[in-house]
Amino acid sequence: MTLVYFAWVRQKIGIAQETFPAPPNVKTVQDLIDHLQRRGGGYADVFADPARLRAAVNQEHAPFDTALSPDDEVAFFPPVTGG
Amino acid sequence: MTLVYFAWVRQKIGIAQETFPAPPNVKTVQDLIDHLQRRGGGYADVFADPARLRAAVNQEHAPFDTALSPDDEVAFFPPVTGG
Amino acid sequence: MIAHIRIQQEDFDLNDEIEALTGETSGIGAVANFVGVVRGDDGLTALTVEHYPGMTERQIGSCVEEARGRWPLLGITIIHRIGTLQPGARIVLVAVAAAHRGAAFSACEFLMDYLKTRAPFWKREDCGDEVRWVEPRVSDADAAKRWA
Amino acid sequence: MIAHIRIQQEDFDLNDEIEALTGETSGIGAVANFVGVVRGDDGLTALTVEHYPGMTERQIGSCVEEARGRWPLLGITIIHRIGTLQPGARIVLVAVAAAHRGAAFSACEFLMDYLKTRAPFWKREDCGDEVRWVEPRVSDADAAKRWA
């Protein structure tokens, strides 16, 4: 699984992208959020309040109950502010 | 009174502008239409069907019951098609 | 708020017009524009636009005043070309600047609807040897009624 | 119908973009455009736009497809700038060509509303020494809901 971060999510975590070998209990975006939050540091800060976050799976907007597969690209970012 | 004509109204009458010393019985735009229609020729043709015409008095759109004064500029034209 | 109204034969430069609008005020975040183009369908070979000098500026000016009263606008530019135009030529520009896009879009549509039904312009179409004056579209009258 | 979607640092030329749109088809009578500008209020010194390459093009592409299904359109150009922009700079262009203005205006507003709420762009504001990420506006979410 590839994880990508944008805007203040990227700034707090400190990296833009990482490879993540998902353990078997990470079945949805919400599972992934719970898992990453337990890493502490910037991750704990970012994922402590998931209501401030949005996710995309394979470049499509994805609610947190979206199921994940090992080859997915999962992105976390704040609500978009373009235009 | 000054009379001005535009688009096919001007083409049928054959002139763009004329000075018109209004007789006392021409009190409204409708009176003027009736008067001009009796001139015959291109005037009769143009003013035979007033529903196809619009008028302006002193450069403001004017319904046919608008009262006229001797110094007015009165325009006749088809519905506008700009933009 | 500055309003630029011009009736001219020449084409216009969109970059210059938008820069002139946005350069005047620091609070502008949105510019909605409408560019009208001479349609080349139905065998049209040329379009000639005639207007009523004086009344045109007066009617467009009153449309602008009405728009200013309805929305918080920061700038308006209206350019209408006259004379003979070829298919594909630009015929009209309405550009409206505001802080946010809602007001800019609404005022731009409003101004186009009012321009179409109030400003004294008339279009004559040349289709080969045939010449005809354009008839008003009922949909334009309906569009203008939305704002009443 | 041709759709041009570009994500770029450079500014764009409005004349060129409108000519490219209208030169493609003879039936175009209306081009509605929206130009977004970096507002210079609140002491803003610079605005930096970040995006998610790949997802951006995909999301804008699906907005374009949805617009094409709703209105009879003849051309769409969407340009969004990225990187650091100064106050007064142009940030986005949405241009929509159609035979008549109703469809062009509606689709242009629709695309802006969807772009604001779906395309993965984020804005960071520099106000002197202070840096802050722009928060989404509730009014943008409400605007997008109109089309649901």
Side-chain angles (χ1 to χ4, degrees):
Chain A
M1 208 172 278
T2 304
L3 308 185
V4 287
Y5 310 116
F6 293 95
W8 57 255
V9 175
R10 173 180 47 73
Q11 288 192 314
K12 287 189 178 184
I13 289 176
I15 55 171
Q17 184 167 337
E18 63 182 304
T19 300
F20 177 70
N25 64 323
V26 172
K27 295 189 174 70
T28 66
V29 174
Q30 184 63 56
D31 294 340
L32 181 56
I33 289 171
D34 297 341
H35 181 94
L36 293 172
Q37 199 205 335
R38 286 194 292 272
R39 283 184 171 177
Y43 290 97
D45 191 9
V46 163
F47 293 104
D49 185 4
R52 299 179 62 203
L53 293 179
R54 299 292 180 273
V57 176
N58 299 325
Q59 307 190 349
E60 296 287 351
H61 293 286
F64 292 171
D65 60 359
T66 302
L68 295 177
S69 303
D71 291 337
D72 284 345
E73 176 177 297
V74 184
F76 291 104
F77 43 75
V80 303
T81 56
Chain B
M1 208 171 278
T2 303
L3 308 185
V4 287
Y5 309 116
F6 294 95
W8 55 255
V9 175
R10 172 179 48 72
Q11 288 192 314
K12 287 188 177 183
I13 290 177
I15 54 172
Q17 184 169 339
E18 63 182 304
T19 300
F20 177 71
N25 65 323
V26 172
K27 295 190 174 68
T28 66
V29 174
Q30 184 63 56
D31 294 342
L32 180 57
I33 289 171
D34 296 341
H35 182 94
L36 293 172
Q37 199 205 334
R38 287 193 292 272
R39 282 182 171 179
Y43 290 96
D45 190 9
V46 163
F47 292 104
D49 185 5
R52 300 180 61 203
L53 294 179
R54 299 293 179 271
V57 174
N58 299 326
Q59 306 190 350
E60 297 288 351
H61 292 288
F64 291 172
D65 60 359
T66 303
L68 295 178
S69 304
D71 291 337
D72 284 345
E73 175 177 298
V74 184
F76 290 105
F77 43 76
V80 301
T81 56
Chain C
M1 193 214 71
I2 300 175
H4 307 266
I5 299 172
R6 300 209 308 271
I7 314 300
Q8 62 187 39
Q9 283 209 284
E10 316 84 73
D11 200 4
F12 43 83
D13 183 296
L14 278 169
N15 291 312
D16 290 352
E17 298 304 334
I18 304 309
E19 261 160 49
L21 255 188
T22 56
E24 284 162 3
T25 316
S26 67
I28 291 174
V31 183
N33 301 286
F34 179 83
V35 178
V37 177
V38 179
R39 274 196 311 281
D41 44 11
D42 297 336
L44 182 85
T45 47
L47 183 81
T48 302
V49 181
E50 171 177 336
H51 81 125
Y52 183 174
M55 180 168 172
T56 308
E57 292 79 356
R58 182 189 288 250
Q59 293 300 316
I60 296 178
S62 79
C63 295
V64 165
E65 283 311 304
E66 199 157 334
R68 289 175 60 170
R70 288 176 181 235
W71 294 281
L73 306 180
L74 296 171
I76 294 177
T77 296
I78 297 179
I79 301 173
H80 203 299
R81 293 178 70 189
I82 53 172
T84 299
L85 303 171
Q86 307 304 314
R90 303 187 290 194
I91 181 170
V92 65
L93 169 69
V94 172
V96 180
H100 299 289
R101 72 188 184 287
F105 269 123
S106 295
C108 189
E109 271 203 271
F110 169 88
L111 286 167
M112 273 307 301
D113 289 345
Y114 269 45
L115 197 68
K116 284 253 179 194
T117 51
R118 290 195 184 179
F121 292 99
W122 299 275
K123 289 183 189 137
R124 202 189 68 203
E125 294 179 338
D126 289 22
C127 296
D129 291 340
E130 199 196 336
V131 169
R132 60 173 180 244
W133 290 92
V134 174
E135 296 284 330
R137 296 169 68 219
V138 172
S139 62
D140 286 331
D142 291 344
K145 280 182 199 139
R146 290 185 291 171
W147 309 102
Chain D
M1 194 214 69
I2 300 176
H4 306 265
I5 300 170
R6 301 209 308 270
I7 315 298
Q8 62 187 41
Q9 284 209 283
E10 317 84 71
D11 199 5
F12 42 84
D13 183 296
L14 278 169
N15 291 313
D16 290 352
E17 298 304 335
I18 303 309
E19 262 159 48
L21 255 188
T22 56
E24 283 161 5
T25 315
S26 67
I28 291 173
V31 182
N33 300 286
F34 179 84
V35 177
V37 176
V38 179
R39 274 197 311 282
D41 43 10
D42 298 335
L44 182 85
T45 47
L47 183 81
T48 301
V49 182
E50 169 176 338
H51 81 125
Y52 183 174
M55 181 169 172
T56 308
E57 292 80 357
R58 182 190 287 251
Q59 293 301 316
I60 295 178
S62 78
C63 294
V64 165
E65 283 310 304
E66 199 157 335
R68 289 175 60 170
R70 287 175 181 235
W71 295 282
L73 306 180
L74 296 171
I76 294 177
T77 296
I78 298 179
I79 302 172
H80 202 299
R81 293 178 70 189
I82 52 173
T84 299
L85 303 171
Q86 307 304 315
R90 302 186 292 193
I91 181 169
V92 64
L93 170 68
V94 172
V96 181
H100 298 289
R101 71 187 185 288
F105 269 122
S106 295
C108 189
E109 271 202 272
F110 169 88
L111 286 167
M112 273 307 300
D113 289 345
Y114 269 44
L115 196 69
K116 285 252 177 195
T117 51
R118 291 195 184 180
F121 292 99
W122 300 274
K123 290 184 189 137
R124 202 189 68 204
E125 294 179 337
D126 289 23
C127 296
D129 291 340
E130 198 195 336
V131 169
R132 60 174 181 244
W133 290 93
V134 174
E135 296 284 330
R137 296 169 68 219
V138 173
S139 61
D140 286 331
D142 290 344
K145 278 180 201 143
R146 290 185 292 170
W147 308 102

